[in-house]
């Protein structure tokens, strides 16, 4: 039989063996595709060429070689498919290995923010004032001369205007509010008595900045109007506010002062919480800390909003929120509070 093998058959067998040997070493999809083109490809495949050349062979031989070539074709196709699947399985396994997730590793911690110290104080103030029956209001930071000064009994030529250096937007008309007091007038205009209201927010002053002065800071303003309110009510409200903010047992005192929109007017002081009244650096050895301004709302201000001063009276008070924060946490430089330095802020989690 061996002798009857033709050249074509011997070539076919050699090609088959070569193709099989090559295939065994291939391990990528690309090299498999290249192998397929070289042996089984429609255009240039070696085996395809054999099949195409069958027509030139004599009848009997054409049949034998044709059958052998078809058998080789089927064999190579089956081998290719098996090899493909093996390569794919290996690649999938490698990908899984690459993307392996160790579910026992600790997670990545997401940084957590926290409430700014000034906001913490404002939340405490709001809770305290609401518990005392006051309602929270809001007002514009860009204010008119009328609300910031004139309606508060500060006409244009009033010397007390110099108490607060103003950032003007339109000189004599529009400004950045220098105090939260203009909201007293805005609130009274918007309702009839009784009034129990408070406002918190930024105020602006064109001042030289240092450890105790900022050009932008915050105030809280309280206002109560009713029939028969007296200075005793003012005193009681301030005492309750201070105790709620700084702790029970702290005394407050009113000291005569002057504000154009209150009559009488008083500064209010609180026992120095650092030395408990003995005298120290924080209270400048007086035993008292100045907290803010207050007084009975001036009849002219009441008349300006259409309230009858012979029926209604009230009190108002205002103080700096930074001051409260600085006393609470022993902060010695007001600039730290609005400086946005995370090393500072992270201490108030
Ligand atoms: N607005 C004043 C200031 O910024 C503080 C103040 C004084 C507020 C007396 C008041 C008050 O409500 O009655 O200096």
């Amino acid at each position: 039989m061996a002798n009857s093998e033709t050249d074509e058959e011997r070539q076919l067998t050699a090609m088959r063996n070569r193709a099989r040997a090559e295939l065994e070493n291939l391990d990528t999809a690309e090299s498999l595709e290249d192998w397929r083109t070289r042996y089984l490809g429609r255009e240039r495949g070696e085996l395809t060429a054999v099949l195409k050349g069958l027509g030139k062979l004599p009848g009997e031989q054409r049949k034998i070689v044709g059958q052998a070539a078809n058998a080789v074709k089927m064999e190579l196709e089956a081998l290719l498919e098996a090899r493909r699947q093996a390569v794919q399985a290996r690649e999938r396994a490698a990908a899984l290995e690459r993307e392996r997730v160790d579910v026992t590793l600790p997670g990545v911690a997401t940084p957590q923010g926290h409430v700014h110290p000034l906001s913490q104080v404002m939340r405490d103030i709001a809770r305290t004032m609401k518990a005392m029956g006051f309602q929270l209001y809001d007002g514009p930071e860009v204010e008119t001369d009328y609300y910031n000064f004139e309606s508060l009994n500060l006409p244009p030529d009033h010397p007390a205007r110099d108490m607060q250096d103003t950032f003007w937007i339109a000189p004599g008309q529009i400004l950045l509010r220098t105090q939260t007091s203009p909201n007293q007038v805005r609130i009274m205009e918007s309702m009839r008595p009784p009034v129990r209201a408070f406002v918190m927010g930024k105020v602006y002053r064109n001042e030289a900045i240092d450890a105790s002065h900022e050009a932008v800071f915050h105030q809280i303003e309280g206002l109560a109007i009713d029939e028969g309110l007296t200075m005793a009510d003012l005193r009681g409200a301030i005492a309750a506010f201070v105790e709620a903010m700084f702790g029970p047992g702290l005394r407050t005192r009113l000291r005569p002062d002057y504000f154009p929109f209150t009559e009488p007017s008083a500064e209010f002081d609180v026992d120095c919480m650092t030395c408990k009244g003995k005298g120290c650096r924080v209270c400048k050895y007086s035993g008292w800390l100045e907290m803010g301004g207050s007084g009975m709302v001036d009849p002219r201000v009441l008349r300006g909003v259409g309230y009858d001063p012979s029926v209604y009276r009230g009190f108002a008070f205002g103080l700096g929120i930074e001051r409260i924060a600085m006393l609470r946490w022993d902060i010695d430089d007001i600039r730290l509070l609005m400086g946005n330095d995370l090393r500072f802020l992270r201490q108030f989690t």
Side-chain angles (χ1 to χ4, degrees), residues 241-261:
F241 177 81
V242 162
E243 285 202 62
M245 292 302 296
F246 294 107
L250 290 173
R251 291 172 307 162
T252 44
R253 74 172 183 189
L254 299 184
R255 241 180 328 108
D257 201 344
Y258 170 75
F259 296 102
F261 38 93

Side-chain angles (χ1 to χ4, degrees), residues 163-164 178-181 184 205 219 221-222 259 261-262 266 292-295 316-319:
M163 286 162 74
Q164 300 172 359
T178 59
Q179 49 187 350
T180 42
S181 304
Q184 291 186 28
R205 298 211 187 153
Q219 285 186 337
E221 185 94 12
F259 296 102
F261 38 93
T262 42
S294 67
F317 64 94
L319 65 153

Side-chain angles (χ1 to χ4, degrees), residues 318-333:
L319 65 153
I321 294 174
E322 277 78 358
R323 176 115 171 104
I324 300 175
M326 290 169 78
L327 289 170
R328 177 179 293 185
W329 288 296
D330 204 8
I331 298 165
D332 61 5
D333 192 327

Side-chain angles (χ1 to χ4, degrees), residues 79-143:
L79 285 171
L80 174 64
E81 188 48 35
R83 190 77 199 153
R84 255 189 197 141
Q85 281 181 16
V87 167
Q88 263 171 24
R90 258 230 320 274
E91 281 175 357
R92 265 198 302 274
L96 282 178
E97 186 55 43
R98 263 197 315 279
E99 293 160 19
R100 181 182 220 105
V101 174
D102 182 351
V103 293
T104 66
L105 286 174
V108 181
T110 319
Q112 268 226 299
H114 65 272
V115 180
H116 190 283
L118 283 177
S119 301
Q120 290 183 34
V121 172
M122 283 194 265
R123 288 181 180 185
D124 287 349
I125 293 172
R127 198 177 327 111
T128 301
M129 293 299 285
K130 285 176 187 174
M132 287 164 53
F134 288 72
Q135 204 180 341
L136 177 62
Y137 282 79
D138 201 4
E141 291 177 18
V142 177
E143 193 47 286

Side-chain angles (χ1 to χ4, degrees), residues 8-9 11-13 15-16 39-40 46-54 57 61-77:
E8 282 77 10
E9 285 173 279
Q11 274 172 19
L12 201 53
T13 306
M15 182 208 302
R16 167 186 170 273
Y39 291 103
L40 303 169
E46 270 188 61
L47 188 64
T48 316
V50 174
L51 289 165
K52 275 181 186 164
L54 286 177
L57 297 176
Q61 208 189 337
R62 183 192 312 158
K63 196 177 157 202
I64 294 167
V65 176
Q67 274 173 359
N70 268 321
V72 169
K73 187 173 181 234
M74 276 162 67
E75 183 192 358
L76 290 185
E77 278 172 354

